Amino acid sequence: MIESATFHVITTELVVGSFALAGLCFVLHSLKLIHNKESQFVTMMDSTAHIALLFGLLALPFAISSGISSSPSGAHTSPLLANKMLLSTAGGGLALGVLFSRWRMRTGDSPRHLHNAFGSTSTGCMLLTASLGGTYTRADSLTEFLPFVKETTFLLPEWMSIFVILLILGALIVRQTSSVKHG
């Protein structure tokens, strides 16, 4: 039987590798689009970015659950682990949004640079999460210039969380009842 810490390392490498590939492809796709060169390379970068993002998103729940089970005291005991959870779920949410919008677009008519920026931001969240994991296990990472992530967890107050939920629900209701055709 494989231990949860070993399984966490394996799944984390899958997530980080696929998100890094996706981020690189999103950046290369945007750079190629700046030069207005439609080619097979542009199509290949777009497809590779989204497939790698999907693969990383599929591996993410396994990395999160194995990370929680391999932590000796749980994710709620350390600001660093709580920040890892927040960043990984934020990156996963952004990735899910990028994939959903790509599925809805189907064609390249919408602003692709903004789409690529959200994909790259999702990658940044995942890479920062992985770097915080290095801080937790080895006390060494690329995030030494961010001391606040080790001691502070940024959470919304309860009233603001409720307000955001109500705002989102209101936007969804208005979108359903709008007479203007959306997307």
Side-chain angles (χ1 to χ4, degrees):
M1 190 78 180
I2 192 168
E3 291 184 17
S4 61
T6 306
F7 187 67
H8 180 64
V9 170
I10 293 168
T11 55
T12 300
E13 291 301 324
L14 287 173
V15 170
V16 170
S18 59
F19 269 85
L21 175 64
L24 178 67
C25 290
F26 280 125
V27 169
L28 289 175
H29 186 247
S30 282
L31 289 176
K32 228 21 180 163
L33 287 176
I34 289 173
H35 297 298
N36 291 326
K37 294 182 179 177
E38 279 294 326
S39 67
Q40 184 179 3
F41 181 77
V42 171
T43 308
M44 181 180 62
M45 286 296 110
D46 185 52
S47 299
T48 304
H50 289 92
I51 290 170
L53 201 63
L54 177 64
F55 184 75
L57 195 60
L58 292 175
L60 184 61
F62 297 107
I64 291 174
S65 62
S66 64
I68 290 172
S69 65
S70 67
S71 175
S73 57
H76 62 281
T77 58
S78 165
L80 183 68
L81 293 178
N83 284 334
K84 279 187 63 162
M85 284 291 295
L86 288 173
L87 278 171
S88 64
T89 53
L94 281 169
L96 191 61
V98 165
L99 290 173
F100 180 72
S101 67
R102 179 66 173 124
W103 174 70
R104 293 283 305 242
M105 287 190 310
R106 290 192 188 109
T107 61
D109 297 337
S110 68
R112 292 191 276 184
H113 292 293
L114 184 62
H115 184 80
N116 290 340
F118 280 119
S120 299
T121 303
S122 174
T123 297
C125 286
M126 286 302 162
L127 295 180
L128 186 57
T129 301
S131 187
L132 289 178
T135 300
Y136 183 70
T137 57
R138 298 180 309 273
D140 178 37
S141 77
L142 297 174
T143 58
E144 296 302 320
F145 64 95
L146 301 172
F148 59 87
V149 296
K150 299 175 189 174
E151 301 131 10
T152 308
T153 301
F154 298 108
L155 297 175
L156 292 176
E158 187 176 322
W159 66 269
M160 192 178 291
S161 298
I162 292 170
F163 176 73
V164 168
I165 289 171
L166 291 175
L167 184 68
I168 290 170
L169 288 174
L172 289 172
I173 290 169
V174 168
R175 180 182 169 115
Q176 294 295 328
T177 60
S178 176
S179 61
V180 177
K181 183 179 178 191
H182 297 280

